[in-house]
Amino acid sequence: MAIPRHRNPAAGALLQAIAPKWSSLLALPSNQRGQDLYARLGYQYAGPYRNMPDGPEFDLLLLRIQDAT
């Protein structure tokens, strides 16, 4: 009888190994309500970000993903 993938310990270890360690998002500096929400969720300001030299400036926010094990 085959073990379903979601119950296979090797599959769980593989998923844990490739799981993201960080979450990032870009926020408009002028969006104070959004900034407040992201701070409550645990995101921290990492610095300004522009995707093009003449593009708009965003705030880069990072959140370290906690290990669930």
Side-chain angles (χ1 to χ4, degrees):
M1 181 168 151
I3 299 174
R5 275 185 200 250
H6 67 279
R7 294 194 180 170
N8 183 336
L14 175 62
L15 289 174
Q16 185 64 34
I18 63 173
K21 305 293 183 206
W22 295 91
S23 174
S24 65
L25 60 85
L26 298 175
L28 289 171
S30 61
N31 182 357
Q32 191 57 52
R33 290 182 68 188
Q35 296 277 358
D36 292 344
L37 171 63
Y38 304 139
R40 284 195 308 272
L41 293 173
Y43 282 87
Q44 295 182 356
Y45 177 76
Y49 178 87
R50 289 181 194 267
N51 61 351
M52 297 182 336
D54 60 344
E57 185 174 287
F58 294 96
D59 286 345
L60 173 61
L61 305 173
L62 296 174
L63 173 69
R64 184 169 183 102
I65 305 298
Q66 298 295 320
D67 189 0
T69 58

